[in-house]
Amino acid sequence: MESWVRAVVEAIHSSRSQAVIYLAGGASQALGWLLSVPGASSTVLEVVVPYSRASMAQLLGKIPLQFTSKQAAEDMALAAYNRALKLSVPGLQVMGVGFTGSLASSRPKHGDHRFYVSTWTHNCRRTSHVTLSKGLRSREEEDKVSSCFLLKAIADTCRVSATIQSDIQEPEIPEENVEQFDEDQELQQVINGQVCMKVYHFAAPVKKDFNRKVILPGSFNPLHDGHLRLLDVASSMCDDGLPFFEISAINADKPPLSIAEIKRRVDQFRRAGKNVIISNQPYFYKKAELFPGSAFIIGADTAARLVNPKYYGGDYNRMLEILLECKSTGTTFLVGGRMIEGVFKVLEDLDIPEELRDMFISIPEEKFRMDISSTELRKNQGL
């Protein structure tokens, strides 16, 4: 490995950024560079090479109009970004990387030798396009040029200073496009289902590395002291989890929240200095896919609904199948006591199927009890 390549890769691995990389048609040497330098497991979450037509269609959920194109690279970067959001360690910068190329092959090509590299983060999409001079290089040499550009794209997204020695000739100067997203655009992407979540980090940074998230879902309209204390108590029971509140912009039986309303609710967490995630998944089995391995904080009333076949079309086996799938992702539920039909009930009062019992953990009443809800607070405030 050339010394400049090693220096760039070491800087990337030290940047506290994590990436999912989807590539096809070139830049294969970049993967070797990234994975052969110590620290790769801190940066590279997943690599997929969708080389076949069927593989690319499955990855993107559609067949691209043109496989080697700006649109295909950006679609790959977006898919990789959504995947990275699900796999990343809490608190680190996340990116999706897409690469698609048409380089020299065993048979002469009628079209240009070219490649596209795109990176996607929460607030920026960068795409580069290079058309190579035909006949100037071998396949291996073209692969090295594209690998250099892929490495530079990742380094730039990690905000790492990188001097890339790519052997580019004057006619091959890359075309670059950068699109910045503001907060409203980011939230609209979540509402539209384009991006699976937006994460707000308002809590003071913690040096400790966390393996999972501890999530308190809700509408938080308004956020009150009971919510804050419940998350603190539950987090103390999961010391390997970083605490988050979570609001779904999409409701199961109501219109989506407006951007203005989401920002109003988010501002409560900004003032409280607490992390919050805006997602687009109202159902817990979908949240489990979105946040694999997480501990969800719920009330006994929600726990009762989770194991009630009534909410699964009356099918007990369907309920069991869905929750066992959640269990397979490492999902657990921390259950706090709640008033149910005028009676305060805790986890131990519920009939949890034996196959699911180790998913549910009781928050002792002596550690936390608050009977008032956001709905009651709004009524009391005349809202």
Side-chain angles (χ1 to χ4, degrees):
M1 187 185 298
E2 296 174 69
S3 59
W4 70 266
V5 173
R6 179 175 290 277
V8 172
V9 174
E10 287 175 345
I12 289 171
H13 290 339
S14 300
S15 68
R16 292 184 62 78
S17 299
Q18 295 195 307
V20 167
I21 303 170
Y22 293 160
L23 61 86
S28 62
Q29 293 173 57
L31 297 184
W33 297 339
L34 286 166
L35 299 178
S36 61
V37 173
S41 62
S42 300
T43 304
V44 181
L45 294 165
E46 182 176 83
V47 176
V48 176
V49 182
Y51 232 152
S52 72
R53 185 181 183 88
S55 178
M56 182 70 81
Q58 188 178 63
L59 180 77
L60 300 181
K62 62 182 180 181
I63 298 176
L65 293 176
Q66 192 171 11
F67 280 76
T68 305
S69 64
K70 177 175 181 285
Q71 186 63 59
E74 290 177 350
D75 287 346
M76 293 168 78
L78 175 58
Y81 176 62
N82 277 309
R83 180 70 171 158
L85 284 170
K86 298 174 185 179
L87 298 180
S88 61
V89 172
L92 300 187
Q93 176 178 298
V94 172
M95 79 178 84
V97 183
F99 174 96
T100 179
S102 179
L103 307 182
S105 67
S106 56
R107 291 176 294 180
K109 291 186 174 178
H110 296 295
D112 292 329
H113 293 191
R114 66 198 188 279
F115 61 83
Y116 296 83
V117 183
S118 184
T119 60
W120 198 301
T121 64
H122 72 98
N123 64 354
C124 184
R125 180 181 63 202
R126 299 173 183 267
T127 307
S128 298
H129 165 221
V130 176
T131 300
L132 299 168
S133 300
K134 262 185 168 180
L136 185 62
R137 304 175 182 86
S138 67
R139 168 65 185 230
E140 186 178 359
E141 288 167 337
E142 287 190 353
D143 188 272
K144 182 176 180 182
V145 171
S146 62
S147 292
C148 289
F149 271 87
L150 178 62
L151 193 65
K152 184 180 188 304
I154 295 172
D156 288 346
T157 306
C158 293
R159 299 183 180 89
V160 166
S161 177
T163 302
I164 303 295
Q165 300 173 21
S166 60
D167 189 32
I168 280 289
Q169 306 299 309
E170 190 171 334
E172 302 173 323
I173 300 302
E175 299 174 19
E176 298 187 346
N177 175 267
V178 179
E179 183 178 359
Q180 301 283 347
F181 309 128
D182 62 26
E183 184 181 6
D184 285 13
Q185 290 172 310
E186 292 178 59
L187 291 172
Q188 191 62 56
Q189 290 170 355
V190 175
I191 294 169
N192 293 345
Q194 186 180 21
V195 171
C196 61
M197 71 181 89
K198 174 170 172 55
V199 183
Y200 290 90
H201 290 281
F202 295 139
V206 181
K207 291 183 179 179
K208 176 182 175 181
D209 289 333
F210 293 92
N211 297 319
R212 60 176 178 160
K213 299 179 180 74
V214 179
I215 300 173
L216 176 54
S219 59
F220 306 110
N221 185 30
L223 174 69
H224 58 69
D225 184 59
H227 295 137
L228 298 172
R229 288 202 289 115
L230 177 56
L231 186 58
D232 284 344
V233 169
S235 298
S236 71
M237 297 171 61
C238 297
D239 59 2
D240 64 338
L242 185 63
F244 286 90
F245 292 91
E246 184 256 347
I247 299 173
S248 176
I250 306 299
N251 293 293
D253 50 6
K254 298 178 185 177
L257 297 178
S258 67
I259 290 174
E261 178 60 20
I262 294 171
K263 290 170 75 173
R264 183 189 71 79
R265 296 191 196 184
V266 165
D267 195 54
Q268 301 175 106
F269 300 96
R270 190 191 317 272
R271 294 194 302 270
K274 300 295 182 181
N275 299 328
V276 62
I277 298 169
I278 306 301
S279 81
N280 51 23
Q281 296 297 347
Y283 298 109
F284 272 103
Y285 74 96
K286 288 293 186 180
K287 292 183 195 290
E289 293 176 11
L290 201 56
F291 309 108
S294 294
F296 292 96
I297 307 161
I298 60 176
D301 52 342
T302 301
R305 289 194 296 272
L306 270 178
V307 297
N308 189 339
K310 169 186 171 183
Y311 298 98
Y312 303 83
D315 189 335
Y316 179 89
N317 289 329
R318 177 64 177 152
M319 175 271 292
L320 208 56
E321 178 186 353
I322 287 175
L323 291 180
L324 285 173
E325 183 65 29
C326 294
K327 183 178 178 179
S328 72
T329 70
T331 297
T332 56
F333 296 102
L334 300 173
V335 183
R338 286 295 297 268
M339 295 296 292
I340 302 177
E341 298 177 351
V343 179
F344 188 82
K345 291 193 175 181
V346 294
L347 175 62
E348 290 74 14
D349 297 317
L350 307 180
D351 184 17
I352 306 293
E354 186 176 351
E355 301 95 320
L356 305 174
R357 284 177 190 165
D358 56 351
M359 287 179 70
F360 293 84
I361 301 165
S362 180
I363 299 174
E365 183 180 351
E366 60 270 20
K367 283 193 172 184
F368 178 84
R369 173 169 178 169
M370 178 169 273
D371 298 342
I372 196 164
S373 67
S374 292
T375 302
E376 291 169 310
L377 280 174
R378 288 198 301 276
K379 286 180 181 178
N380 294 342
Q381 295 169 4
L383 299 177

